[in-house]
Amino acid sequence: QVQLVESGGGLVQAGGSLRLSCAVSGSTLSIHAIGWYRQAPGKQRELVAINNSGGTTNYADSVMGRVTMSRDNAKNTVDLQMNSLKPEDTAVYYCNVIINWKPGMRIEYWGQGTQVTVSS
């Protein structure tokens, strides 16, 4: 079992910055991938950033150069630093973890989401 709790969302003006944090607890030793997704009103949930098994972090083209995901294994947190925010970044942001449950089986977990609103 894995529990994810996001924090750090809020209202910010265009051009501003926000730092989201996801506290991860539970079966953290078996994490296969960890990342952030977002869902804007009326749109499908989309990937923002993902790190697979401690390798390279991949970012969506729409946030490349403006967003950095970092992981603190000592604190069991994964943060998303977002700079130069745009109104189109407005969405609910979700932390996501995929764990290796047993050979050939993985389980996916989602946080409750945190709202980010960017005003123009």
Side-chain angles (χ1 to χ4, degrees), residues 26-78:
S27 303
T28 58
L29 292 179
S30 58
I31 289 177
H32 169 72
I34 190 165
W36 286 90
Y37 289 73
R38 68 185 182 186
Q39 188 167 19
K43 295 187 177 181
Q44 290 188 333
R45 193 170 296 188
E46 63 177 7
L47 174 71
V48 177
I50 188 167
N51 180 277
N52 292 300
S53 302
T56 303
T57 298
N58 295 308
Y59 297 92
D61 289 343
S62 58
V63 303
M64 188 77 69
R66 301 187 295 119
V67 167
T68 302
M69 188 174 83
S70 59
R71 188 173 170 184
D72 187 328
N73 291 325
K75 296 181 179 179
N76 282 334
T77 58
V78 55

Side-chain angles (χ1 to χ4, degrees), residues 61-114:
D61 289 343
S62 58
V63 303
M64 188 77 69
R66 301 187 295 119
V67 167
T68 302
M69 188 174 83
S70 59
R71 188 173 170 184
D72 187 328
N73 291 325
K75 296 181 179 179
N76 282 334
T77 58
V78 55
D79 291 352
L80 192 71
Q81 177 67 43
M82 303 188 293
N83 301 322
S84 302
L85 284 163
K86 305 175 181 179
E88 50 264 43
D89 293 319
T90 295
V92 178
Y93 284 70
Y94 297 90
C95 185
N96 171 273
V97 165
I98 299 173
I99 68 167
N100 295 310
W101 182 243
K102 56 184 179 182
M105 182 176 178
R106 292 173 178 155
I107 299 178
E108 187 172 36
Y109 293 90
W110 294 92
Q112 82 286 355
T114 184

